[in-house]
């Protein structure tokens, strides 16, 4: 009974997510669902990207948080459309929340939409949001055992971004181990390194974004 | 309907948790439920405590993970009873899992039981496990905005342990802001600082543990 109910609920979510995905393809919106633990560098990644690409693309952001609009206020300075979802304690974003949030965006005009999910390396993995690509941020201080210990979120991702690489000298972190464990969970996962502080890896991240946008537009 | 079901389910959990709590009090077991994001230093805290107290107290550990027994293997070297719970993707520990796990411990002999919860700053907050005290680890690199952004887990905690303090010089972290926001969520929350790497704050942590054990034994 419980399993049936759960599958049924997920089917409803996936149905709404598929509808959102169609709308993104129709409007040529490249949507990236950004996942990761609290403090893994999700907002810093968005800020870095806005600084690099806000002149080239029209970018929007949906911010997911349990409470507060701290990140939304941080992003408003870039003069882009930002919409805040507060889940009131909820541990992940769901497609129906995204569907409502999208009413606040001009999809026909939008090039890129970032969805910053709730900081949580577990629950958001199960919920599709209609995204074009799914990205997991894993910061150096979180430790190199995380892909082995939290496999589901890596299984469903397109890109693993190893963040806060400026802390490499102060933390014990084996990049090869992370790569091995993450690829064991998901062989097609791409992996990049980034430091929002020093700018290391910024170009490779922007190139990935450009490349994937092009692929999605070609395949729509 | 959904709310009713949810409340009903939580009531069942709380009922089992209360039963476990009675068993801890009867056996004079001081149980600490350790919560925090992935990589916030939960296992390191347990290791540091074992190194300091394994001669003084008989200590057991229940390790919660989605998958793997990495942390359990790390703790086995201390020659203490350790039991691994794998939630197969589940995002928090529940009282019924703890109840089964306890069959593997000699409660009458045990002084302290640490429960290392799933790395997740959201979901474990809602689930009581019969613990004597509840502790949240928040590491410096996670950022000083976390008590404001993830209030539920701080509302229900007894101690906030700010971990990885050795990274203080490499991360922007305002201790006063954390204290202000955490106390706004929970005015009776105690706050300590720790670096498992340098040993900073170790004595204060051990003193807290001793003090709280004594309080619980007096009040049982």
């Amino acid at each position: 009974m419980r399993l049936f109910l759960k599958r049924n609920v997920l089917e409803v979510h996936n149905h709404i997510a598929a509808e959102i995905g169609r709308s993104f393809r129709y409007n040529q919106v490249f949507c990236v669902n950004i996942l990761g633990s609290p403090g893994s560098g999700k907002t810093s990644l968005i800020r870095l990207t806005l600084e690099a690409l806000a002149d080239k693309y029209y970018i929007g952001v949906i911010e997911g948080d349990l409470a507060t609009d701290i990140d939304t206020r941080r992003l408003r300075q870039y003069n882009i459309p930002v919409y805040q979802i507060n889940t009131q304690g909820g541990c992940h974003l769901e497609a129906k929340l995204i569907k409502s949030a999208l009413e606040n965006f001009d999809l026909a005009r939008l090039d890129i939409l970032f969805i910053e999910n709730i900081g949580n390396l577990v629950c958001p993995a199960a919920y599709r949001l209609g995204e074009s690509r799914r990205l997991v941020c894993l910061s150096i201080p979180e430790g190199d055992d995380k892909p082995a210990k939290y496999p589901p979120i890596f299984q469903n991702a397109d890109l693993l971004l190893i963040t806060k690489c400026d802390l490499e000298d102060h933390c014990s972190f084996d990049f090869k181990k992370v790569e091995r464990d993450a690829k064991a969970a998901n062989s097609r996962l791409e992996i990049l390194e980034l430091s929002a502080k020093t700018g290391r890896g910024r170009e490779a991240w922007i190139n990935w974004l450009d490349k994937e946008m092009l692929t999605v537009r070609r395949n729509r």
Side-chain angles (χ1 to χ4, degrees), chain A:
Chain A
M1 179 57 191
R2 202 187 152 209
L3 266 176
F4 171 74
L5 192 73
K6 208 170 165 184
R7 190 202 288 172
N8 200 272
V9 167
L10 264 183
E11 268 171 17
V12 172
H13 288 310
N14 287 340
H15 183 79
I16 304 173
E19 188 188 316
I20 295 171
R22 280 193 295 276
S23 166
F24 286 153
R25 283 189 293 278
Y26 178 80
N27 289 289
Q28 298 207 21
V29 175
F30 181 69
C31 173
V32 185
N33 184 4
I34 305 177
L35 304 100
S37 297
S40 59
K42 298 183 291 300
T43 315
S44 295
L45 174 70
I46 295 173
R47 293 175 75 163
L48 167 153
T49 313
L50 288 172
E51 274 156 25
L53 293 180
D55 291 339
K56 189 175 172 187
Y57 297 121
Y58 187 59
I59 303 175
V61 180
I62 294 175
E63 270 298 329
D65 283 296
L66 267 60
T68 79
D69 62 347
I70 295 172
D71 290 338
T72 290
R73 280 187 276 124
R74 280 175 184 150
L75 294 174
R76 282 264 158 75
Q77 59 169 297
Y78 298 97
N79 204 22
I80 56 149
V82 189
Y83 184 81
Q84 176 75 51
I85 297 175
N86 277 144
T87 60
Q88 313 298 341
C91 56
H92 60 272
L93 293 180
E94 293 178 8
K96 65 180 174 189
L97 294 172
I98 301 301
K99 193 181 166 183
S100 304
L102 288 177
E103 290 169 12
N104 301 280
F105 292 88
D106 180 359
L107 286 191
R109 211 184 137 198
L110 218 57
D111 295 306
I112 302 176
L113 177 68
F114 290 115
I115 300 175
E116 182 176 342
N117 220 308
I118 305 296
N120 184 336
L121 209 56
V122 187
C123 315
Y127 294 86
R128 295 176 194 276
L129 306 177
E131 68 265 30
S132 320
R133 292 290 182 272
R134 189 182 270 216
L135 182 167
V136 180
C137 291
L138 172 69
S139 68
I140 294 265
E142 283 174 75
D144 53 25
D145 55 359
K146 296 305 167 287
K149 291 178 71 181
Y150 298 81
I153 210 157
F154 298 92
Q155 275 156 12
N156 296 320
D158 299 289
L159 176 67
L160 164 59
L161 207 55
I162 302 175
T163 58
K164 305 197 182 182
C165 284
D166 47 283
L167 293 174
E168 187 183 357
D169 294 341
H170 308 289
C171 305
S172 156
F173 191 92
D174 182 344
F175 285 87
K176 289 219 179 306
K177 177 180 156 49
V178 166
E179 188 179 342
R180 198 172 55 235
D181 291 343
K183 294 265 189 187
N186 174 1
S187 60
R188 62 172 191 81
L189 185 71
E190 291 189 72
I191 303 176
L192 293 174
E193 298 169 16
L194 185 79
S195 164
K197 200 181 250 179
T198 67
R200 166 177 159 192
R202 199 178 70 149
E203 210 180 309
W205 152 244
I206 298 295
N207 288 344
W208 181 88
L209 209 55
D210 271 326
K211 177 193 69 158
E212 295 300 310
M213 266 183 85
L214 207 67
T215 308
V216 166
R217 288 193 170 181
R218 270 188 195 138
N219 293 342
R220 87 191 175 96

